Amino acid sequence: MAVTEPSEFDFSVTNLPLKLFINNEYVDSQSGQFLTVHNPKDATLVSDQVPLAGPADVEAAVLAAEKALPAWKKLSNSQRRDMLLKFAALIRRDAKLLTQLNRLTHGAPWAGFGGFEIDICADTFVYNAGWIDKFHGEAVPTDEGIMQITRNEPLGVTAAIIPWNAAIIMIGEKAAPALATGNCFILKPSEKTPFAALAVGNLIKEAGFPPGVFQILSGDGSTGALLSSHMRIRKISFTGSIPTGKKVQEAAAKSNLKRVHLELGGKSPAIVFDDCDLENALTWCVNGLVGNSGQICMATTRLYVQEGIFDKFSAAYKEKLEERANTMGDPEEEGMLLGPLVDKLQFDRVTGFIERGIQEKQGTLLTGGTKQGGSVGYFVTPTVFTNVEPGAEIYTNEIFGPVSILNSFKTEEEALEKANALEYGLMAGIFTNDITRALRMASDVESGLVGINCITLKMLNTPVGGAKQSGVGRENGRAALEAFTEPKTIMINMALKS
Ligand code: NAD
């Protein structure tokens, strides 16, 4: 069997990072509890020794962060910037190791999502490093004898809880703005993909971050709950599902009213008009569904196609997805672009939606509907249902796998109403050559991100986040730095003479 990227590393269990990273040291968990992870391509055991951080571990990390905070806040801009830049360079240097560690339990092929994350993560550190000496406050014209200055102050000890689907990208999205703005930061990776995060401990040290500034605690929901309810953590930046996001917000409210940033789920609509560039719309809609095997918060999973091109679109969509299905398989095999779903739980959830969709005739199956790989790996063929009833569960739920619904519409008003009908509002795409209509729709669609002739896309330098139940707050761009700081207003009485 040909292998796309021959592994230069020995990934036997002894080489896995199996310790917490606290105060710049790799340490055993004091909880004595461990997590188990499998390789989703064949369900083989990867490790049952991943440390689960418990109350004593969380407390140790918070104490170390509190100790580090005063000096870290006062560090010069250039010193902090250089550490972030060095960390970005180290991430790139160790790209293969980090990616391979992540792929062991994520399952994404190198040529697909697997090889895609490192650069985004490193770029995010570079981007935020560039802000450090530019993210300043304001001096307000003197009013009634009082001059005002605002400063962007770090929040203190902050933490992030992240999901498994983009475990490397999110190291950057969360840690970079937190550290750039002078916060100490604790990262809790998902219990399903802990290894890349645990492995960056050495890089944190090598980049020169002082002990306690940047720490990694692996764990599951119980660790997340400890962070969310901690009385001295001042902010949680959370990415994950809507139900868990609500628990985090509740725990924050019941503890110390810590700031909560929520990046949650989606069911992103593509609205495809008769006058669009069909080939372009198809490319974005196909990529937007199958990328990372559908495990993307802003995946293109609701398609509304105007009546005039519906038949043509659906035939071509089916054909292209079936071509892509041929690139689903063993992530180590050459030519594979699509891997398995992350684990059995996710596999059962996604296939459950598909089976009920077929059995209950929630729509007409256009393509897919099968499990690939039988009981061995967690592969699911890209699946599309057409003419789906708006109340059906496959219509209203985020499935988080390669499953979409494809319905038709007549008018712009109808398309907008359908797009806005759900509680999600993360991403929407408008495909049309009529720029006036595109801009009108873009302003009326209830979504944090809107693509015109593109979809399932976010950029480093503009805010990313959800409307409605898809989230609270924004990351990326300047918004990410704002989310990790609070303005402090200083008032100077200009009338006072000595
Ligand atoms: P999840 O909500 O199950 O878990 C996310 C994280 O929360 C994990 O680290 C988990 O250990 C932790 N957690 C679980 N219970 C907790 C609790 N009670 N308190 C605190 N933390 C807890 O989500 P998932 O299945 O890992 O990820 C998939 C979800 O993430 C999807 O809904 C997807 O849309 C969403 N997501 C959103 C974005 C975005 O930017 N909006 C990006 C990626 C993924």
Side-chain angles (χ1 to χ4, degrees), residues 193-242:
T193 50
F195 294 133
L198 287 174
V200 299
N202 284 326
L203 311 189
I204 289 171
K205 240 170 144 167
E206 199 178 337
F209 289 107
V213 167
F214 186 178
Q215 306 177 90
I216 315 289
L217 297 179
S218 50
D220 60 9
S222 66
T223 313
L226 288 168
L227 296 167
S228 314
S229 58
H230 200 284
M231 286 304 290
R232 301 190 321 278
I233 291 177
R234 299 299 165 190
K235 167 170 176 139
I236 296 284
S237 181
F238 173 83
T239 300
S241 62
I242 292 174

Side-chain angles (χ1 to χ4, degrees), residues 51 61-62 131 187 261 270 289 300:
V62 172
W131 265 113
L187 177 70
H261 176 159
L289 177 63
T300 311

Side-chain angles (χ1 to χ4, degrees), residues 101-277:
L101 282 170
N102 194 48
R103 292 174 67 241
L104 275 178
T105 64
H106 179 177
W110 277 101
F113 201 77
F116 167 80
E117 292 197 59
I118 284 285
D119 275 338
I120 300 178
C121 176
D123 286 348
T124 310
F125 277 94
V126 172
Y127 175 81
N128 281 280
W131 265 113
I132 290 176
D133 58 1
K134 300 167 194 76
F135 185 58
H136 41 70
E138 295 176 320
V140 180
T142 303
D143 187 22
E144 296 184 21
I146 305 289
M147 184 187 171
Q148 300 162 77
I149 300 170
T150 66
R151 292 167 48 88
N152 297 316
E153 298 275 341
L155 300 171
V157 179
T158 61
I161 301 169
I162 59 173
W164 43 268
N165 65 320
I168 297 178
I169 291 174
M170 280 183 219
I171 297 173
E173 279 179 344
K174 303 293 189 194
L179 296 169
T181 47
N183 297 280
C184 289
F185 178 75
I186 300 167
L187 177 70
K188 191 202 86 62
S190 166
E191 57 273 40
K192 301 181 193 211
T193 50
F195 294 133
L198 287 174
V200 299
N202 284 326
L203 311 189
I204 289 171
K205 240 170 144 167
E206 199 178 337
F209 289 107
V213 167
F214 186 178
Q215 306 177 90
I216 315 289
L217 297 179
S218 50
D220 60 9
S222 66
T223 313
L226 288 168
L227 296 167
S228 314
S229 58
H230 200 284
M231 286 304 290
R232 301 190 321 278
I233 291 177
R234 299 299 165 190
K235 167 170 176 139
I236 296 284
S237 181
F238 173 83
T239 300
S241 62
I242 292 174
T244 312
K246 288 182 179 177
K247 285 186 197 165
V248 170
Q249 201 170 45
E250 195 181 339
K254 284 185 173 160
S255 54
N256 62 344
L257 273 183
K258 58 179 65 62
R259 287 20 176 178
V260 176
H261 176 159
L262 302 175
E263 292 286 336
L264 308 175
K267 185 91 173 175
S268 300
I271 302 167
V272 184
F273 285 95
D274 285 344
D275 70 346
C276 76
D277 179 323

Side-chain angles (χ1 to χ4, degrees), residues 192 342-350 378:
K192 301 181 193 211
V342 74
D343 65 2
K344 183 164 186 333
L345 205 70
Q346 192 62 13
F347 178 78
D348 289 345
R349 181 181 143 80
V350 172
Y378 304 127

